């Protein structure tokens, strides 16, 4: 008797009308906010002081201590931190800033906001972090800053990048949006580069909904950034309506409205208390995904170097086109149809219309980044996930790969 495959066979893709691996959708990300976080925010709401004030200042001290940096400035996003960092080092029209094409829009956009030229270079084929040798080749007399990105939470090659920066007198502004809690050669991210920018956006390893921070050892940059984050008005302007009574303030430069405020600060401080527990859970889930997918030759799993503590912000797999009869987008849609949320981090920035049209970037310029950009799918990885959620993710990926296997 021949076996009859019916529409309800567990191997029929949900995309083709079969039953999905899960009956309910697993979101790509959900923040973990608990009763302590709620209490911290409520206390601030009841305190009589909502905007930038004592809680923001306390957070800045705590993050500086955690990262080992001398100074920290809380801001309202990592984008703001990156923008202010470029302003502080004097990047302007005619300057070039080198960064990675495998990053979020804002890493490149802030270079354009300063009127400077983004210079992309290719990434390394194991971590997909910016390739230090490619940076070296791209440096010109007009290079005013380097912005390496700790992609997915894996610290970039900081020794090599810092040494290029030092040799040419170019500041290194690390985009550590993914990398709070990560370490490079035993040192926390945030205390190594000239400036480090963090994100506390809703999907990040710790969150304040929206938020960011910048750490540095240089007092003059920290001072400039504090001023420029709050309209360019004189330092400690947040005290101007405080208990010490009204004081005049001066505009010393046309700054921005980028300040962190105390509601945000109270949430992110409370989240910081759970950073180690969150990281432990990310490690366990990452290992569960690794174990469940390690024999799938149709995909490559994320790899990491021996000298880092990875923040495991993302879990990007790469589909191998030579082993599959479908492209990345088809695989991605099929996994989502199984009720598993996915993300794409990132389609290479230089191929986006604005960057290609404005600066003449073309496919073929950065082959490692482009292949990555075409093949990557991020699977869910966050502390709120249960073991079952991770197992469902594995089951969905395996089901889809089995269907499209060549
Ligand atoms: C690599 C990278 N840099 C910068 C940012 C910007 O962070 P924010 O949303 O806090 O401005 C993000 C946000 O997703 C990011 O992924």
């Amino acid at each position: 008797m021949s076996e009859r495959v019916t529409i309800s066979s567990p191997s029929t893709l949900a995309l083709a009308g079969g039953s999905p691996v899960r009956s309910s959708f697993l979101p790509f990300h959900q923040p973990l906010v608990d009763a302590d976080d709620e209490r911290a925010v409520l206390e601030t709401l009841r305190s009589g002081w909502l905007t930038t004030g004592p809680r923001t200042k306390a957070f800045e001290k705590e993050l500086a201590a955690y990262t080992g940096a001398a100074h920290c400035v809380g801001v309202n996003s990592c984008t703001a931190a990156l923008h202010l960092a470029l302003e502080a080092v004097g990047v302007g029209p005619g300057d070039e800033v080198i960064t990675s094409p495998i990053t979020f829009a804002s890493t490149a956009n802030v270079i354009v906001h300063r009127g400077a030229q983004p210079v992309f270079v290719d990434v390394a084929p194991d971590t997909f972090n910016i390739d230090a040798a490619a940076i070296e080749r791209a440096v010109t007399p007009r290079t005013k800053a380097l912005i390496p990105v700790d992609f997915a939470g894996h610290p970039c090659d900081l020794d090599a990048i810092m040494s290029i920066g030092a040799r040419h007198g170019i500041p290194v502004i690390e985009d550590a949006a993914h990398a709070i809690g990560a370490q490079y050669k035993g040192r926390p991210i945030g205390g190594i580069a000239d400036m480090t920018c963090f994100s506390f956006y809703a999907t990040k390893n710790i969150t304040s909904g929206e938020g960011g921070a910048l750490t540095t050892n240089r007092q003059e940059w920290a001072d400039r950034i504090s001023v420029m984050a709050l309209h360019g008005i004189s330092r400690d302007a947040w005290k101007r309506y405080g208990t010490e009574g009204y004081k005049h303030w001066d505009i010393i430069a046309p700054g921005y409205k980028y300040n962190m405020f105390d509601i945000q600060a109270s949430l992110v401080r409370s989240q910081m208390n759970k950073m180690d527990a969150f990281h432990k859970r990310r490690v366990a889930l990452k290992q569960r995904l690794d174990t469940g997918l390690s024999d799938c030759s149709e995909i490559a799993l994320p790899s990491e170097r021996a000298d880092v503590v990875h923040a495991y912000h993302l879990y990007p797999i790469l589909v191998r086109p030579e082993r599959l009869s479908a492209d990345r987008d088809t695989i991605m849609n099929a996994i989502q149809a199984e009720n598993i949320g996915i993300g794409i981090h990132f389609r290479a920035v230089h191929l986006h219309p604005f960057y290609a049209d404005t600066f003449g970037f073309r496919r073929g310029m950065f082959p490692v980044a482009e292949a990555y950009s075409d093949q990557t799918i991020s699977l869910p990885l966050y502390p709120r996930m249960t073991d079952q959620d991770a197992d469902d993710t594995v089951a969905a990926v395996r089901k889809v790969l089995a269907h499209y296997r060549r």
Side-chain angles (χ1 to χ4, degrees):
M1 253 176 48
S2 66
E3 238 181 62
R4 275 215 349 241
V5 178
T6 68
I7 199 80
S8 60
S9 156
S11 63
T12 304
L13 292 187
L15 206 57
S19 311
V21 161
R22 281 172 69 99
S23 53
S24 64
F25 189 70
L26 174 68
F28 175 68
H29 182 266
Q30 285 186 296
L32 185 48
V33 174
D34 67 10
D36 293 334
D37 298 330
E38 289 170 8
R39 255 193 308 277
V41 171
L42 204 54
E43 204 177 275
T44 309
L45 291 173
R46 289 172 175 165
S47 72
W49 192 278
L50 304 185
T51 185
T52 309
R55 288 173 176 82
T56 303
K57 298 296 142 190
F59 162 72
E60 289 172 341
K61 277 207 183 94
E62 287 160 9
L63 189 64
Y66 179 82
T67 58
H71 311 280
C72 171
V73 183
V75 287
N76 61 12
S77 70
C78 182
T79 307
L82 291 163
H83 191 193
L84 292 168
L86 291 179
E87 198 278 338
V89 302
V91 167
D95 294 334
E96 295 172 357
V97 177
I98 299 176
T99 193
S100 168
I102 299 300
T103 188
F104 185 58
S106 50
T107 320
N109 287 350
V110 293
I111 301 170
V112 179
H113 291 157
R114 294 299 305 159
Q117 163 91 28
V119 175
F120 297 107
V121 300
D122 214 344
V123 294
D126 58 340
T127 59
F128 305 103
N129 276 334
I130 197 164
D131 177 358
I135 296 180
E136 183 79 68
R137 290 193 294 275
V139 168
T140 75
R142 299 198 313 180
T143 310
K144 263 285 178 62
L146 310 178
I147 312 185
V149 180
D150 300 322
F151 174 65
H154 189 300
C156 52
D157 196 355
L158 279 166
D159 276 354
I161 296 168
M162 292 302 291
S163 115
I164 295 168
R167 214 166 334 111
H168 297 279
I170 306 168
V172 176
I173 299 165
E174 186 177 357
D175 180 339
H178 299 179
I180 192 137
Q183 293 181 16
Y184 176 78
K185 297 191 177 171
R187 295 170 65 194
I189 293 302
I192 305 172
D194 295 305
M195 287 190 253
T196 306
C197 301
F198 294 103
S199 174
F200 309 119
Y201 179 65
T203 59
K204 296 300 189 281
N205 286 22
I206 57 168
T207 185
S208 50
E210 299 278 357
L214 183 148
T215 55
T216 182
N217 288 323
R218 281 263 291 260
Q219 174 93 52
E220 81 193 77
W221 285 337
D223 289 348
R224 175 73 181 179
I225 286 161
S226 302
V227 166
M228 294 305 281
L230 195 59
H231 308 292
I233 63 183
S234 40
R235 203 149 182 269
D236 283 348
W238 64 273
K239 287 185 181 160
R240 69 193 188 277
Y241 299 114
T243 48
E244 293 163 33
Y246 183 85
K247 291 209 179 73
H248 286 303
W249 44 269
D250 297 317
I251 305 164
I252 60 171
Y256 304 94
K257 177 67 175 165
Y258 281 167
N259 53 306
M260 176 176 272
F261 64 110
D262 272 22
I263 300 174
Q264 263 174 331
S266 54
L267 181 49
V268 76
R269 287 177 77 199
S270 176
Q271 290 257 305
M272 271 181 81
N273 294 333
K274 286 167 282 215
M275 203 134 66
D276 290 347
F278 284 175
H279 188 257
K280 249 195 210 128
R281 185 66 192 144
R282 283 181 181 275
V283 172
L285 289 163
K286 184 257 177 202
Q287 285 168 351
R288 208 165 176 99
L289 293 174
D290 278 351
T291 305
L293 296 170
S294 61
D295 62 335
C296 296
S297 59
E298 300 81 14
I299 54 174
L301 302 185
S303 62
E304 79 190 63
R305 295 188 181 174
D307 54 6
V308 304
V309 172
H310 196 314
Y312 300 124
H313 173 56
L314 298 172
Y315 190 91
I317 58 169
L318 287 187
V319 299
R320 293 189 159 136
E322 71 282 7
R323 297 189 182 217
L324 290 159
S325 61
D327 63 8
R328 186 269 313 277
D329 285 2
T330 307
I331 306 280
M332 162 187 105
N333 289 331
I335 296 171
Q336 290 196 110
E338 300 298 333
N339 272 336
I340 301 295
I342 58 90
I344 300 293
H345 303 87
F346 295 97
R347 286 162 56 231
V349 177
H350 69 286
L351 299 179
H352 283 261
F354 170 78
Y355 286 93
D357 297 347
T358 311
F359 300 104
F361 293 115
R362 292 283 171 268
R363 194 169 267 278
M365 287 178 156
F366 313 114
V368 182
E370 288 160 17
Y372 175 86
S373 169
D374 294 341
Q375 295 169 25
T376 187
I377 300 175
S378 299
L379 302 181
L381 177 70
Y382 49 94
R384 195 163 154 174
M385 279 169 69
T386 62
D387 288 353
Q388 187 61 52
D389 292 336
D391 294 347
D392 290 345
T393 302
V394 167
V397 172
R398 295 187 73 95
K399 179 179 171 185
V400 169
L401 295 179
H403 182 85
Y404 291 110
R405 183 173 293 144
R406 265 195 217 272

